[in-house]
Amino acid sequence: MLIVKPGAQPHMAWAMAAALLAVERIFGTRGVPLVITAGADGQHMEHSKHYDGRAFDCRSHDLPGNERSRVLVEMQRALGTAYDVLLEGAGTDHEHY
């Protein structure tokens, strides 16, 4: 299941559609919805790929703590080296992929 957080603007380049579906499958195998928390909206680094639709943030808090690093590895494996997969703010209220 894919959910877009109210206020998030997930305007994405078409190339991101396959990545989004792959990540949704990974979350789905754990019975957890994929929640997109940011796309082109919000504050990101200057020249961030978010602003041209080539990045999105998703919620990590819905996963058990011991699964978060496994999901990170699984996402990177599924997406390959063309994508950067990060767990940002680990252990904070703003933790997300």
Side-chain angles (χ1 to χ4, degrees):
M1 173 188 286
L2 173 65
I3 299 170
V4 177
K5 178 180 144 183
Q9 298 174 12
H11 304 291
M12 293 181 212
W14 280 107
M16 293 302 294
L20 187 64
L21 291 174
V23 173
E24 182 183 21
R25 280 193 294 274
I26 292 167
F27 275 67
T29 62
R30 290 164 170 80
V32 175
L34 174 62
V35 180
I36 302 301
T37 58
D41 58 303
Q43 293 183 353
H44 305 282
M45 294 185 316
E46 187 177 358
H47 306 295
S48 170
K49 293 179 181 182
H50 285 85
Y51 298 123
D52 61 2
R54 296 183 298 138
F56 61 88
D57 293 346
C58 59
R59 184 173 293 156
S60 58
H61 293 308
D62 294 337
L63 295 163
N66 63 344
E67 281 290 303
R68 294 175 190 165
S69 60
R70 289 185 198 129
V71 167
L72 176 71
V73 170
E74 205 171 321
M75 286 192 298
Q76 188 64 70
R77 188 178 300 131
L79 298 176
T81 58
Y83 293 85
D84 294 325
V85 181
L86 308 169
L87 180 59
E88 296 182 325
T92 71
D93 289 342
H94 299 289
E95 179 184 286
H96 62 279
Y97 294 107

